[in-house]
Amino acid sequence: MARDEVRIQILVDADVARAIVVARQLSREAGLSTPRSTMIATAVSELARNILKYARRGSVTVRAIDRDGRRRVEILATDRGPGIADIETAMKEHFSSGGTLGLGLSGVERMMDEFDIESAPGEGTRVCAALWL
Amino acid sequence: MLDGETVVHENDAAQAIRLRALYQIDEMDLERIRSLGSALDGKIDAAVARFYEWMRPLPEFNEYLSDPAVLERVRRLQVAYWVDFLRGVIDAEFVASRRSLGAIHARIGLPLDTYLGGMNSFLMTFSEVASESDSDSFDTSHVTSLSKVLHLDTAIVIDEYNAITKTIIAEQGDALMEMSTPVTEVWADILMLPIVGVIDSRRSMEIMNTMLSKIAETRAHVAILDISGVAVIDTAVANHLIKVTRATRLMGCECLISGVSPAIAQTMVELGIDVGTVRTTATLQDALGMAFHVTGHTVQREA
């Protein structure tokens, strides 16, 4: 059965894997092309891994929804982790506080049609990203 | 209700307090359970007998209880269980005994609905027996108290069912891991590792270790990592694959990445991943051709 919305708690590596698989399936069923479904799945992977790495726990919601008369697939990633002090720096290419490529957040922003991040130290992080159909 | 020793955990006492609050069980409730206990004194055997009448037509009865010796042992444990329940004490030992009870039922694979059906059958029997025995001293408040404690009791059992299910899932994951990095020497000097599914940090390490030890063992000069079955290549996975190719190169082995699908290629470009000098191909066939070239093999169709 096609689902319009799936919310996955991110606690362990296996949850990231499940989120990726479910996001890809939901995107395809919503009618996104294969490359764009892969982009949704990849963005989910980036965001879910960030949650595990920095906040240890949080959740990722993927949903197909109508906005302004058009359909889109949205990702909402939230956590109550330490938050990001300087979003502008965190969004910069090649910035990383975790010894990786440092492309994660900026890469997600580039892949997505819409991208929004809210965070403050001690307040957790909330990322909303979307691709239009 | 089968046997099994009860091990009290460190946080069982705290758990007992937490659950009592969650199910709003106060001293009055426990007092009512105790008074039910005295009313049911000597009638528990009959209630247990009724439970087995309920259970006899179910397929589970034949499956688990067809041996009369087993049935008798389980019956006696069940009587002990209800005597304990009707003591009206919820402490660390109570929590521990319910947990081991849940574990036993989950391990033998008794369906949860059968377990809950059984609990329901006891609730009905006890309510009936209590109302028959002395209708003046028993009212709905007793049934309410009984339900609260039964719910608490059942919650512990269900939690244990869940915990065991999670353990099974984790074990299945481990079992898959064992099979997930099959490095094979497809040709003299050429190794191949197909990667399927989702790559997490644990699996990344597994890929690195297996690949490098196989190179040391076979002294191969080319290794092909086929990623056509990989769900996504995010920055963490890409970073790791790049590291694998660097490490193999240090060991004198060229690493080719094959099976880059159109979707993965587009996504990697959008993400901004630069694979640098890593050699990638669209298909495994292309990579194999490249590998033959590097190792000096020529493959020809017979004329």
Side-chain angles (χ1 to χ4, degrees):
Chain A
M1 202 189 80
R3 287 179 290 182
D4 285 342
E5 177 167 335
V6 186
R7 180 188 152 94
I8 291 170
Q9 297 284 339
I10 306 295
L11 292 167
V12 292
D13 267 340
D15 296 325
V16 179
R18 201 156 57 90
I20 293 168
V21 172
V22 168
R24 196 168 56 156
Q25 192 184 358
L26 188 142
S27 306
R28 280 180 183 162
E29 283 167 359
L32 276 185
S33 66
T34 304
R36 284 165 79 77
S37 297
T38 304
M39 286 177 200
I40 289 282
T42 308
V44 163
S45 177
E46 291 292 347
L47 298 173
R49 273 188 225 276
N50 272 352
I51 289 174
L52 263 195
K53 193 164 170 186
Y54 297 108
R56 301 178 66 97
R57 60 186 301 163
S59 77
V60 172
T61 306
V62 184
R63 63 177 169 225
I65 193 169
D66 289 320
R67 281 211 199 278
D68 310 322
R70 279 175 75 197
R71 198 149 181 82
R72 68 183 205 171
V73 176
E74 286 181 356
I75 305 164
L76 183 66
T78 58
D79 66 65
R80 292 166 184 277
I84 303 169
D86 183 355
I87 293 181
E88 229 170 279
T89 309
M91 290 301 300
K92 261 190 208 144
E93 207 160 300
H94 304 300
F95 171 82
S96 170
S97 57
T100 53
L101 291 178
L103 292 166
L105 279 179
S106 60
V108 172
E109 188 180 26
R110 262 196 310 277
M111 277 194 298
M112 297 289 112
D113 295 333
E114 313 257 335
F115 181 89
D116 184 52
I117 181 165
E118 287 168 35
S119 184
E123 303 270 295
T125 304
R126 178 190 159 92
V127 176
C128 187
L131 281 185
W132 294 102
L133 240 66
Chain B
M1 287 168 223
L2 309 177
D3 50 9
E5 67 268 36
T6 300
V7 183
V8 178
H9 287 186
E10 204 179 315
N11 63 344
D12 281 345
Q15 182 71 343
I17 293 166
R18 193 185 73 83
L19 287 171
R20 275 180 61 168
L22 188 64
Y23 289 90
Q24 301 176 42
I25 295 166
D26 53 29
E27 262 317 304
M28 284 298 292
D29 290 309
L30 295 175
E31 186 49 49
R32 289 190 199 107
I33 296 290
R34 285 191 280 271
S35 68
L36 269 172
S38 5
L40 286 161
D41 192 27
K43 291 176 179 159
I44 291 177
D45 277 338
V48 171
R50 277 179 70 170
F51 165 78
Y52 284 112
E53 277 165 38
W54 167 82
M55 187 153 179
R56 202 172 286 275
L58 300 181
E60 285 83 6
F61 187 88
N62 268 329
E63 194 176 330
Y64 304 111
L65 301 171
S66 53
D67 179 349
V70 173
L71 180 62
E72 179 49 28
R73 187 164 54 91
V74 174
R75 199 194 60 79
R76 259 188 278 126
L77 284 162
Q78 201 151 29
V79 171
Y81 167 86
W82 288 110
V83 169
D84 185 42
F85 180 93
L86 294 165
R87 274 192 317 133
V89 178
I90 299 172
D91 55 9
E93 282 75 24
F94 181 89
V95 171
S97 79
R98 268 48 189 169
R99 207 183 39 240
S100 75
L101 189 76
I104 290 159
H105 285 91
R107 281 208 195 92
I108 62 169
L110 182 81
L112 202 46
D113 58 359
T114 308
Y115 182 86
L116 294 177
M119 293 303 275
N120 185 56
S121 142
F122 274 104
L123 178 64
M124 285 163 61
T125 308
F126 287 166
S127 309
E128 281 168 33
V129 171
S131 58
E132 280 161 17
S133 64
D134 187 352
S135 50
D136 289 342
S137 50
F138 291 106
D139 53 30
T140 52
S141 67
H142 285 82
V143 179
T144 307
S145 299
L146 186 61
S147 308
K148 283 183 186 177
V149 181
L150 266 181
H151 281 136
L152 177 147
D153 185 300
T154 312
I156 302 171
V157 171
I158 292 176
D159 249 5
E160 196 57 29
Y161 261 82
N162 267 335
I164 286 180
T165 310
K166 276 188 187 152
T167 313
I168 291 169
I169 293 170
E171 286 167 357
Q172 285 170 339
D174 288 345
L176 273 175
M177 271 292 286
E178 293 290 309
M179 303 180 280
S180 68
T181 42
V183 181
T184 40
E185 193 170 13
V186 286
W187 208 268
D189 242 10
I190 304 171
L191 296 179
M192 193 192 67
L193 170 60
I195 311 172
V196 177
V198 176
I199 304 177
D200 59 20
S201 51
R202 213 164 63 132
R203 208 156 153 213
S204 294
M205 274 193 299
E206 184 93 3
I207 291 166
M208 178 77 96
N209 294 339
T210 329
M211 202 59 158
L212 297 184
S213 57
K214 198 78 178 181
I215 291 169
E217 181 191 322
T218 61
R219 301 171 65 192
H221 285 100
V222 183
I224 303 170
L225 267 178
D226 187 72
I227 59 164
S228 50
V230 174
V232 299
I233 305 283
D234 65 3
T235 54
V237 173
N239 189 22
H240 199 82
L241 291 181
I242 292 168
K243 282 183 181 162
V244 171
T245 63
R246 282 196 198 130
T248 61
R249 207 171 280 163
L250 285 173
M251 292 183 74
C253 178
E254 183 72 18
C255 187
L256 313 174
I257 293 179
S258 71
V260 180
S261 68
I264 295 278
Q266 282 183 60
T267 307
M268 284 175 73
V269 170
E270 292 292 326
L271 260 180
I273 294 166
D274 179 8
V275 296
T277 58
V278 179
R279 291 165 85 175
T280 61
T281 65
T283 66
L284 180 55
Q285 200 176 336
D286 292 339
L288 202 54
M290 215 182 263
F292 284 147
H293 181 75
V294 173
T295 54
H297 290 99
T298 38
V299 181
Q300 254 182 321
R301 193 191 294 266
E302 270 184 71

